[in-house]
Amino acid sequence: MNKNLPHAIAIIREAMAAGGSAPEIAAAHALNKVGLLVDTERTRGLILRRTPAGGWMPRPPVDPELTDLEQQAVAWDQACERARQVAAGIQEQIGDRVEFQSMQVEGDRVLVSLHITDLSQWAGWRRYFGVTHDGEQPLPYVVGGEGYRDGVRVSVLAYDLPEVRTRAVRSAGRPFEFEGLVYDLALPQRDAVGEFWYFQGELAEDGMPLLSQDGRPERCTLASLVAQAGPLTAITATEGGETA
């Protein structure tokens, strides 16, 4: 039974008992005043809610007959289904990658395990899952990270990443670690559009390395290069580059 019926009956009874020349009109206005009549001409806007990743998505329709607890259960079920859909998309996109080990859905989030053998791999995965260096959680043999993919929270475990970082520092001629990645400043750095940048030994006041293009006096910090023209790739002599 519609839970609004007792309320509507009581309002109609009061309007009819009040008398007047048109009690049916008074009853209709009384019902409309308390929101028990639907206005079919009224434009109903789409209600959006903020996602944890900062975007927007439609709020699930609310059944007025559901309790708050039931509505929360419906929203949870929808979030879990969304996580399963995103996990299926991730599996389709990256399931054949060498680094990819496993994935599972835990409630409304996705858990991904990777095996990292090179820092350039981790740089790409961080971009894919939206993991920031500040969000990393280093452990002895693995680095955990929290990010989002298509609005769904993703927890990433990057196995052997600490060892890879240590190896990168040891093998670099002029190692400089920035946001969890190790740059060998003894080698030219190629940006995303193919331009080459060189470190000439100069540092900014905060200690950030300054790089320049060959033959140009302008200097750019490594941080700015990474943000504006990254990712950067070190080029060895065998790949056609020249050491700084």
Side-chain angles (χ1 to χ4, degrees), residues 76-94:
W76 171 254
D77 289 342
Q78 291 175 338
C80 293
E81 175 59 26
R82 177 59 181 162
R84 288 190 289 270
Q85 293 174 355
V86 170
I90 293 174
Q91 179 71 44
E92 182 177 355
Q93 293 174 2
I94 69 171

Side-chain angles (χ1 to χ4, degrees), residues 13 17 28-29 31 40 83-85 92 112 127 166-167 178 187 192 202 218 225 244:
R13 183 182 293 116
H29 280 291
L31 290 171
T40 58
R84 288 190 289 270
Q85 293 174 355
E92 182 177 355
V112 177
R127 291 191 296 271
T166 300
R167 189 168 60 245
F178 174 64
L187 299 174
E202 297 183 37
E218 297 84 6
L225 272 179

Side-chain angles (χ1 to χ4, degrees), residues 143-161:
V143 172
E146 293 287 333
Y148 288 88
R149 184 71 185 175
D150 296 332
V152 171
R153 184 161 62 103
V154 180
S155 297
V156 183
L157 289 177
Y159 287 93
D160 290 346
L161 179 55

Side-chain angles (χ1 to χ4, degrees), residues 126-200:
R126 288 204 318 195
R127 291 191 296 271
Y128 183 83
F129 289 118
V131 177
T132 64
H133 179 54
D134 292 340
E136 292 184 6
Q137 299 176 349
L139 298 170
Y141 302 103
V142 65
V143 172
E146 293 287 333
Y148 288 88
R149 184 71 185 175
D150 296 332
V152 171
R153 184 161 62 103
V154 180
S155 297
V156 183
L157 289 177
Y159 287 93
D160 290 346
L161 179 55
E163 180 182 348
V164 170
R165 280 177 174 156
T166 300
R167 189 168 60 245
V169 171
R170 290 175 179 173
S171 62
R174 292 180 180 176
F176 186 86
E177 186 169 346
F178 174 64
E179 293 190 340
L181 301 179
V182 179
Y183 296 89
D184 188 354
L185 301 181
L187 299 174
Q189 303 291 322
R190 182 172 60 199
D191 63 23
V193 298
E195 298 288 346
F196 288 85
W197 296 83
Y198 302 86
F199 175 62
Q200 308 293 351

